[in-house]
Amino acid sequence: MDKCIAVSNVVKKIKGKYILNNVNFSVNRGEIIGIIGQNGAGKSTLLKIICGLSRPTAGEVLVEGLSITQEPNKIMDKVGFLIEEPALYPYLTAKNQLDMCLALHRKRETAYSDKIIQRLGIHEFLAEKIKRYSSGMKQKLGIACAVIHNPSIVILDEPINSLDVTGIKALREFIKDINEEGKTVIISSHILTEIEYLCDRIALMDKGTIIETASVEQINRDSISNGDQNALEEYYFRKVGIYNDDRHSENRDS
Amino acid sequence: MIDILKIEIAKIVRSKSFLWMIILLGASVSLTLLGEYYFIVANKNEQPNVVHLIYSLYAVNATTFFPLIIAYFFISVLNDEFKLKTIKILFGSIRDRETIYMAKFIASAVVFVSIFSIMILASTVLLSIVTDINRINIEYYAITYQEALWRIIITTIIGEVYFLCIGSYSMLIDAIFENQGVAVIVFFMTVLLWSVIPLPQWFTNYFFLKGQTFFAFLDMFEFDWLEFMKYVALFIVYIAAFSGIGCFIFSKKQI
């Protein structure tokens, strides 16, 4: 498989505390990969490092074969992201904000950007100031900002936050669509059913490290053989439990 | 750089963050000029002139009030990005962080210089109407209206360069602390300590806050070009140094 992101031995230490501890994983071109883990597992920190917003204390991240720490500007055009809450200027209109996002990537409005606006249902509110937007609309606009410059890799941290049922359904279809266009998508979420529905592969994070990656197909196969009802949920608890038990016994041994 | 500069100017204009600067500067300019005008008329039994009034305007405000307003404006332009977390959009773009920082500084400078120049121009025009422009003197030395205008223009230019120095310093503080309140306090403490702590002459001669007395150029009997150039060069060196350090710190920021 052609890898578009390779994370090797990444460590992130803040104020003496390990937020990420020796993270290794890779993302294949054109797949949708989900990162799951509890609060504080290090998901957002890992995504920020992949986006170049944060630097690793040690280790290396290669995006499309380029080092994120050494050539960030070359990579930024290939990556679009929505990390934590959407970053929006309340005093701008959605049109101003999207034009600004394009200009920052030295791009102008194209048929593609129009399509994104239509697909996310922002076209009706383009002339309205962002401060008047509902939180769901802000989330959609944040996603539009992440993909408007047509990146090949899209990173979405908790993308269904603030979305209602219709919004979630529309976003699911949108993610599937952009993936069919050939974009690689990385999603982190607490909502396991969403991840299960959308993703080809899952990376399970706990206490600052990726403890396992597996394809959704494989997880489903395992759950059938184990007789589990909620495949991903059971898988998650089983793996995190096993991992913690292993770590406790390692600690006891050492 | 030009397109980023346009974006930054558009953001300042659309956020209307410059409005309170107009209000505060306008209030201080009009109150100082009115107060001084009536003070001269009432107590000195003489006619106020345009040079004297503009001199008073700078003398009253240039030490603390103008610098505080200007520092707050420059700090807020940068700090809004941290507060709104929109810094992620800027850092996630293909532009150099140094370019973004410089565009922010230059955009703030363009907005500030435009507002300040219009304000001084309007004051000068108004004062030229209400005072006798045929009798302008510096102490007992009479000067022509043309010379008075020329002196006001030159002094305003050096004043603006000094205020840009203040702007670059305050933006640097905000790049370090990422907190508007802390940055304003640090700036205020710098001004306060400069006035309170006795410093060696060699230091005070070359410290940027020496520019607080830039308005002295307005009532010199003979305009000292060498001194003027020294001041301008000093402020430009400080602007370059503060902006350079600011760019470096900004480029190392992590979210």
Side-chain angles (χ1 to χ4, degrees):
Chain A
M1 271 282 204
D2 182 14
K3 289 183 174 52
C4 62
I5 296 175
V7 178
S8 328
N9 306 318
V10 164
V11 174
K12 180 74 182 177
K13 204 174 168 187
I14 300 173
K15 291 176 186 166
K17 194 182 166 201
Y18 283 96
I19 309 297
L20 296 178
N21 196 357
N22 207 28
V23 175
N24 288 288
F25 94 114
S26 58
V27 180
N28 302 321
R29 192 177 307 284
E31 74 174 344
I32 306 181
I33 183 162
I35 300 180
I36 56 172
Q38 13 183 350
N39 289 336
K43 303 185 294 292
S44 295
T45 308
L46 176 62
L47 295 181
K48 280 180 192 171
I49 288 175
I50 296 172
C51 297
L53 295 179
S54 182
R55 269 179 290 274
T57 311
E60 192 177 39
V61 178
L62 296 177
V63 178
E64 302 282 12
L66 301 166
S67 166
I68 192 76
T69 44
Q70 282 161 25
E71 296 171 281
N73 290 359
K74 284 185 186 166
I75 293 167
M76 289 310 178
D77 207 30
K78 302 178 198 308
V79 179
F81 58 81
L82 170 70
I83 302 284
E84 293 163 343
E85 71 265 51
L88 305 169
Y89 296 93
Y91 47 81
L92 294 184
T93 63
K95 169 104 176 77
N96 296 150
Q97 170 98 26
L98 292 167
D99 285 347
M100 193 196 72
C101 290
L102 283 168
L104 284 169
H105 288 273
R106 291 204 178 90
K107 287 187 176 163
R108 285 173 185 279
E109 227 177 296
T110 56
Y112 178 80
S113 59
D114 288 342
K115 193 180 98 182
I116 294 292
I117 292 164
Q118 293 279 340
R119 281 294 283 112
L120 286 163
I122 305 164
H123 56 288
E124 292 166 38
F125 310 97
L126 271 181
E128 221 169 285
K129 286 230 167 110
I130 294 166
K131 65 181 169 198
R132 294 197 200 103
Y133 270 36
S134 67
S135 48
M137 278 304 293
K138 283 182 184 162
Q139 189 72 4
K140 283 184 193 171
L141 184 57
I143 292 164
C145 288
V147 295
I148 197 90
H149 61 284
N150 200 3
S152 56
I153 300 165
V154 180
I155 297 171
L156 302 171
D157 186 16
E158 309 284 352
I160 58 170
N161 273 1
S162 326
L163 293 178
D164 55 21
V165 185
T166 343
I168 293 171
K169 187 173 179 291
L171 182 64
R172 265 188 219 150
E173 284 163 12
F174 177 77
I175 291 172
K176 287 278 185 196
D177 278 358
I178 59 169
N179 179 244
E180 274 164 26
E181 285 168 13
K183 294 191 195 312
T184 308
V185 185
I186 306 177
I187 306 172
S188 92
S189 180
H190 292 109
I191 320 274
L192 299 182
T193 46
E194 284 310 316
I195 293 278
E196 193 174 359
Y197 179 82
L198 282 167
C199 299
D200 305 314
R201 210 152 60 92
I202 279 153
L204 182 55
M205 274 197 94
D206 191 47
K207 296 186 176 70
T209 195
I210 289 190
I211 55 176
E212 193 168 282
T213 56
S215 70
V216 172
E217 210 178 310
Q218 187 191 328
I219 293 168
N220 284 334
R221 231 183 295 127
D222 289 354
S223 70
I224 291 167
S225 60
N226 288 334
D228 295 336
Q229 289 285 314
N230 301 313
L232 188 56
E233 201 174 287
E234 294 297 334
Y235 165 81
Y236 173 78
F237 286 117
R238 202 165 54 237
K239 291 294 170 184
V240 171
I242 289 168
Y243 175 70
N244 286 339
D245 290 348
D246 286 351
R247 280 225 316 199
H248 287 314
S249 56
E250 268 173 32
N251 286 344
R252 269 200 307 274
D253 294 345
S254 62
Chain B
M1 179 70 167
I2 300 292
D3 50 345
I4 293 281
L5 192 56
K6 280 187 200 160
I7 291 175
E8 290 303 330
I9 292 176
K11 279 200 284 194
I12 294 173
V13 172
R14 294 211 170 98
S15 69
K16 298 189 177 75
S17 60
F18 63 94
L19 275 181
W20 57 263
M21 182 168 70
I22 294 180
I23 293 166
L24 287 175
L25 282 177
S28 63
V29 167
S30 46
L31 286 174
T32 312
L33 290 178
L34 269 174
E36 192 63 21
Y37 183 90
Y38 286 109
F39 178 77
I40 293 170
V41 170
N43 297 320
K44 291 193 177 170
N45 211 13
E46 63 179 69
Q47 280 301 307
N49 71 63
V50 64
V51 172
H52 191 146
L53 288 166
I54 296 287
Y55 181 92
S56 305
L57 170 70
Y58 285 140
V60 170
N61 295 298
T63 315
T64 317
F65 200 61
F66 281 173
L68 265 179
I69 297 171
I70 290 152
Y72 190 80
F73 172 67
F74 277 80
I75 287 168
S76 67
V77 167
L78 181 61
N79 200 74
D80 273 1
E81 303 285 358
F82 294 120
K83 209 164 61 185
L84 296 169
K85 310 227 166 130
T86 42
I87 199 84
K88 285 187 280 190
I89 297 181
L90 303 178
F91 284 1
S93 77
I94 57 171
R95 312 296 181 135
D96 289 332
R97 292 184 181 190
E98 290 86 350
T99 310
I100 294 168
Y101 184 87
M102 281 316 292
K104 283 202 162 293
F105 173 67
I106 296 169
S108 315
V110 168
V111 172
F112 159 70
V113 168
S114 312
I115 291 171
F116 195 78
S117 301
I118 290 170
M119 220 161 256
I120 296 299
L121 179 72
S123 306
T124 308
V125 170
L126 192 71
L127 292 174
S128 301
I129 295 166
V130 298
T131 60
D132 186 357
I133 56 168
N134 296 313
R135 290 180 58 187
I136 303 173
N137 60 299
I138 297 169
E139 298 296 330
Y140 299 106
Y141 175 64
I143 60 167
T144 61
Y145 180 58
Q146 281 76 12
E147 192 179 345
L149 285 185
W150 172 82
R151 279 175 182 251
I152 290 169
I153 291 168
I154 291 287
T155 312
T156 303
I157 289 171
I158 196 172
E160 285 176 344
V161 180
Y162 166 62
F163 291 137
L164 291 183
C165 196
I166 295 281
S168 62
Y169 175 66
S170 39
M171 226 171 188
L172 165 65
I173 304 170
D174 194 61
I176 296 169
F177 294 104
E178 297 178 29
N179 183 305
Q180 198 158 347
V182 174
V184 172
I185 290 168
V186 171
F187 175 77
F188 185 70
M189 291 306 289
T190 315
V191 177
L192 192 72
L193 292 176
W194 164 257
S195 332
V196 173
I197 295 178
L199 296 161
Q201 192 64 35
W202 60 265
F203 183 74
T204 53
N205 276 345
Y206 297 103
F207 194 57
F208 74 101
L209 285 176
K210 169 192 161 93
Q212 284 177 342
T213 54
F214 70 87
F215 50 86
F217 284 99
L218 200 55
D219 72 342
M220 275 179 178
F221 283 111
E222 284 222 5
F223 196 85
D224 188 345
W225 278 104
L226 187 68
E227 191 66 11
F228 176 81
M229 297 306 282
K230 264 167 61 185
Y231 264 77
V232 173
L234 182 75
F235 296 151
I236 290 174
V237 168
Y238 269 105
I239 291 172
F242 291 147
S243 304
I245 301 167
C247 280
F248 176 77
I249 290 168
F250 195 68
S251 69
K252 301 287 171 209
K253 287 270 162 214
Q254 295 189 60
I255 295 169

